[in-house]
Amino acid sequence: MPEESLREIAAANEPPRTLASPEFFFLLQRIDRLDEKLTKEIRDGDQKSEERINAVEQRLTRRIDAVEQKLNQRIEAVEQKLSQRIDAIDDKLNNRIDKLDDKLGNLRFWAISAVITIALGFIGTIASLLYK
């Protein structure tokens, strides 16, 4: 309170004349205390919520890491199996291609031999016709 009000109260022995009553100040102090309590509880709740969220996040991270590890192992196993099968198929195809190449080589040799035989036969026939 201002000093002037205190002097007037002391001189007149009357309650001070203010715009607000003592009940208003009491209620204002009560509201202030309740506000402090509520603010403290909100902070505590935020802290507890943050701790719980962090715990859940850690658990989820561990579970995700475990699942990721299992998936990586499975993927590697499947990849290895596929590589083996691809290699086996590649070997089979190479063998078949080699066999077909041999067959084509034989067929080419036979065709060339047949052409040469026919050509020599015609040449022999023409030569024998010319010398008679």
Side-chain angles (χ1 to χ4, degrees):
M1 284 184 155
E3 288 182 34
E4 294 175 14
S5 299
L6 292 175
R7 285 185 202 148
E8 287 178 15
I9 293 171
N13 255 349
E14 294 179 10
R17 291 184 188 173
T18 59
L19 293 174
S21 66
E23 291 85 12
F24 175 76
F25 285 113
F26 173 76
L27 290 175
L28 190 61
Q29 288 175 346
R30 182 89 173 139
I31 289 172
D32 190 40
R33 278 190 236 126
L34 289 174
D35 181 48
E36 288 174 5
K37 284 182 183 179
L38 184 61
T39 304
K40 183 180 181 281
E41 286 188 24
I42 289 172
R43 283 187 194 136
D44 292 344
D46 283 348
Q47 186 177 7
K48 287 178 184 177
S49 296
E50 188 174 334
E51 289 170 0
R52 290 177 75 188
I53 288 171
N54 288 337
V56 168
E57 183 180 10
Q58 288 174 355
R59 283 191 307 223
L60 285 175
T61 302
R62 281 187 296 232
R63 290 175 104 182
I64 289 170
D65 290 343
V67 168
E68 185 178 15
Q69 186 178 11
K70 286 180 183 178
L71 284 175
N72 284 337
Q73 290 172 350
R74 282 184 167 180
I75 288 170
E76 288 174 6
V78 168
E79 189 176 79
Q80 189 176 20
K81 286 180 183 178
L82 285 175
S83 294
Q84 290 171 352
R85 285 191 172 187
I86 288 171
D87 290 343
I89 290 172
D90 191 37
D91 290 342
K92 285 181 182 179
L93 283 175
N94 285 335
N95 288 339
R96 285 187 180 185
I97 289 172
D98 289 342
K99 287 179 182 178
L100 285 175
D101 191 38
D102 290 343
K103 287 180 182 179
L104 283 176
N106 291 337
L107 186 62
R108 189 178 305 126
F109 180 72
W110 181 84
I112 291 172
S113 299
V115 168
I116 290 173
T117 304
I118 292 172
L120 287 176
F122 281 134
I123 291 172
T125 305
I126 291 173
S128 64
L129 288 175
L130 289 176
Y131 288 112
K132 278 193 176 187

